[in-house]
Amino acid sequence: SQTIHQWPATLVQPVGSPLSLECTVEGTSNPNLYWYRQAAGRGLQLLFYSVGIGQISSEVPQNLSASRPQDRQFILSSKKLLLSDSGFYLCAWTRQGGNEQFFGPGTRLTVL
Amino acid sequence: DAKTTQPTSMDCAEGRAANLPCNHSTISGNEYVYWYRQIHSQGPQYIIHGLKNNETNEMASLIITEDRKSSTLILPHATLRDTAVYYCIVRVAAGSWGKFQFGAGTQVVVTP
C-alpha cells in the first residue's frame, strides 16, 4: 500500500531563518507531487506541483521554492522566512493520470 | 479548470441526510467533479468523483445534474465524525499536469 510522510509535524521558526520541509511517498513510482499551504481558517492554496524528477511548476510568486531530488521526495524550502509564511503545509500525491489525490499529515509552521 | 461555488456553512442533525450543493456552471466536457473533506488539522480526504452519471460509494452519493452545471454530495446518515470542511473541485481527470484547485469549501457541522 502507498503511504505519504511529512516532517516535521510542527515547527516554530524566527523571521529570517531558513526552512526545509520534506515529503516522501512510499509504495508507488513516478507520482505527481504537490505542495499546498493553508492559512488559519482558509482554504488550500496550491504552491507547487511536480510531474517528475527536477520538474517543478510554481503556482504563486513567493519566497518559497520546491525541489524534487528523487522520484518520491519533494522538498519545500525558503532562504528567509516571513511572518506570512505561517500556516499548515500539506504535501499530496496522485498517480499519473489518477483521479484521487492523497494527502500527508501536514506540517504546522509558525513564524515568529 | 472551472471554478466552483459552495455555501460557506451548513448544519445537519445527526442521523439525517446532509445534502451539500455545488455550482460549476463553467465546467468543460472533459472535467470531472470531485469531492474532498478536511477534518480539523488533518489533510483532506477523498470522498467521491464523477463525470456525468450519479455515483455512490461507502461514504457518499454524488448527484450531477443533466447539464452538469451543478452537483450535490449526499451523506446519507450524518454522524458527528462527518463534521468537516467539504470541498467541491472540478478538474480534468487524465493528464500528468492535472491540478486540484481547492476553494473555501463548505463548513458542515453535525449536531447531536
Side-chain angles (χ1 to χ4, degrees):
Chain A
S1 63
Q2 300 84 21
T3 55
I4 178 169
H5 304 279
Q6 284 186 250
W7 61 90
T10 59
L11 190 60
V12 180
Q13 292 284 97
V15 169
S17 64
L19 173 73
S20 181
L21 302 182
E22 188 165 345
C23 170
T24 60
V25 181
E26 296 178 355
T28 189
S29 59
N30 198 27
N32 293 330
L33 296 171
Y34 307 79
W35 276 113
Y36 291 87
R37 176 172 60 201
Q38 187 172 34
R42 305 292 294 274
L44 277 71
Q45 180 186 33
L46 179 62
L47 301 175
F48 301 95
Y49 67 98
S50 171
V51 299
I53 296 174
Q55 300 179 63
I56 309 294
S57 295
S58 175
E59 285 295 292
V60 294
Q62 59 207 312
N63 70 320
L64 299 172
S65 62
S67 62
R68 185 169 177 175
Q70 299 180 45
D71 181 45
R72 290 169 290 173
Q73 184 184 31
F74 206 22
I75 297 173
L76 184 70
S77 305
S78 174
K79 293 182 179 179
K80 289 186 178 181
L81 284 169
L82 306 172
L83 287 174
S84 58
D85 290 325
S86 293
F88 191 43
Y89 287 82
L90 289 156
C91 180
W93 73 275
T94 63
R95 292 183 180 85
Q96 295 289 339
N99 292 319
E100 186 175 345
Q101 191 166 61
F102 302 91
F103 284 82
T107 295
R108 190 161 301 281
L109 171 66
T110 303
V111 182
L112 302 175
Chain B
D1 289 339
K3 292 184 178 180
T4 62
T5 304
Q6 300 177 250
T8 302
S9 63
M10 63 184 299
D11 294 337
C12 179
E14 188 178 19
R16 304 293 292 272
N19 297 295
L20 283 62
C22 179
N23 288 323
H24 30 79
S25 58
T26 60
I27 192 170
S28 300
N30 61 347
E31 288 183 314
Y32 284 65
V33 180
Y34 293 79
W35 283 85
Y36 281 76
R37 73 178 183 184
Q38 185 179 23
I39 296 171
H40 184 62
S41 294
Q42 297 182 22
Q45 174 191 24
Y46 166 84
I47 300 174
I48 199 166
H49 77 281
L51 182 62
K52 53 184 178 182
N53 296 323
N54 298 336
E55 302 288 343
T56 296
N57 62 20
E58 65 278 4
M59 291 182 67
S61 296
L62 174 60
I63 308 299
I64 303 174
T65 58
E66 192 169 344
D67 63 7
R68 301 208 327 119
K69 293 185 177 181
S70 66
S71 61
T72 300
L73 180 74
I74 301 173
L75 308 177
H77 304 286
T79 70
L80 298 179
R81 287 174 294 182
D82 291 323
T83 292
V85 177
Y86 287 76
Y87 298 99
C88 170
I89 304 161
V90 294
R91 76 179 277 267
V92 177
S96 60
W97 46 266
K99 299 178 290 184
F100 287 82
Q101 299 281 12
F102 286 77
T106 297
Q107 173 67 65
V108 173
V109 177
V110 180
T111 57

